[in-house]
Amino acid sequence: EIVLTQSPGTLSLAPGERATLSCRASQTFSNDFLAWYQQRPGQAPRLLFYAASKRATGVPDSFSASGSGTDFTLTISRLEPEDFAVYYCQQYGNSPRTFGQGTKVEVK
Amino acid sequence: QVQLQESGPRLVRPSETLSLTCNVSDDVLSPSYWSWLRQPAGKGPEWIGRIYVGGTTNYNPSLKGRATLSLDTSKKRFSLQIRSVTAADTAVYYCAKDSSSGYWPHWGQGTPVTVSS
């Protein structure tokens, strides 16, 4: 099973600041099949990116994602109030599909 | 856009069977994989298993054979059963529609299940 390690565990930032979230895999997986999700309290995860860098429908341009191999990054260029949430990465290149433990972006 | 809604008991006794159903808003249960996931409080989601509209299933080995997925295409719903539950099975349970590649663009709102006597 591929283990995804996200860092940092918590990111304390002010609105308008830039957030950089990391996701590192324990091994490579097929086709850089990595997705990112946002989860607000009491809600289901919302897909942000798939295939490492392809933006899902409706995701603002302030979000970007990159990476390959075992190292992936999600960047939020300017934090809006609604962006404060928990973010998860997920690999779907190997079975079983697995998630990271999450990075919480909180208001500083 | 497809909508999914989980339903089932919120409290299950230890050693008993957890049973949940996911109702789908599609006109038909489209040719796709349909998955169940769960998320314990404060942790990342965990994929439990998936079922194809033709009946093929795949499961996460972490469930050690305790999970069974089934579907009813005429009623546009699919179901999850987990046998011999323990407190470790306490979580919010989600149903979701798989993309063709294996990520999840469509999720239900989730239903909390507690295993306790």
Side-chain angles (χ1 to χ4, degrees):
Chain A
E1 170 175 313
I2 292 178
V3 176
L4 299 178
T5 302
Q6 294 187 241
S7 60
T10 301
L11 202 48
S12 298
L13 295 168
E17 290 194 301
R18 181 184 187 90
T20 302
L21 289 66
S22 172
C23 175
R24 176 164 289 179
S26 58
Q27 62 189 82
T28 58
F29 47 89
S30 300
N31 300 318
D32 291 335
F33 276 168
L34 187 106
W36 288 95
Y37 299 83
Q38 175 193 66
Q39 189 174 34
R40 298 180 177 127
Q43 296 186 13
R46 169 199 175 198
L47 178 70
L48 298 177
F49 290 90
Y50 60 96
S53 60
K54 296 186 178 180
R55 189 178 288 106
T57 303
V59 176
D61 291 347
S62 57
F63 287 81
S64 62
S66 64
S68 65
T70 60
D71 291 304
F72 300 86
T73 301
L74 176 69
T75 302
I76 311 170
S77 59
R78 284 180 58 86
L79 284 163
E80 299 289 342
E82 60 271 23
D83 300 334
F84 291 92
V86 180
Y87 294 84
Y88 294 99
C89 57
Q90 176 239 331
Q91 66 82 20
Y92 52 100
N94 277 44
S95 187
R97 290 170 279 178
T98 52
F99 289 82
Q101 83 281 15
T103 291
K104 181 180 182 180
V105 178
E106 66 175 20
V107 178
K108 184 175 182 180
Chain B
Q1 153 154 330
V2 64
Q3 295 188 344
L4 304 99
Q5 177 69 58
E6 304 89 351
S7 62
R10 295 199 171 196
L11 178 65
V12 183
R13 306 298 182 191
S15 79
E16 296 188 347
T17 297
L18 178 159
S19 297
L20 296 173
T21 295
C22 181
N23 289 285
V24 180
S25 67
D26 271 356
D27 286 339
V28 296
L29 212 57
S30 58
S32 175
Y33 277 102
W34 302 85
S35 281
W36 283 96
L37 302 97
R38 66 183 182 181
Q39 186 174 26
K43 297 187 177 182
E46 176 187 35
W47 173 68
I48 297 171
R50 67 177 184 176
I51 185 165
Y52 190 68
V53 69
T56 302
T57 53
N58 301 101
Y59 298 100
N60 191 327
S62 68
L63 277 294
K64 297 183 170 58
R66 296 187 299 125
T68 301
L69 271 64
S70 59
L71 63 83
D72 184 337
T73 53
S74 63
K75 294 185 179 179
K76 299 182 295 179
R77 66 187 187 196
F78 62 107
S79 300
L80 167 70
Q81 288 192 327
I82 300 178
R83 298 176 294 280
S84 305
V85 297
T86 69
D89 295 307
T90 294
V92 176
Y93 284 75
Y94 295 97
C95 57
K97 181 179 179 180
D98 290 35
S99 71
S100 58
S101 302
Y103 54 90
W104 294 286
H106 307 290
W107 297 65
Q109 66 184 32
T111 188
V113 178
T114 301
V115 178
S116 175
S117 55

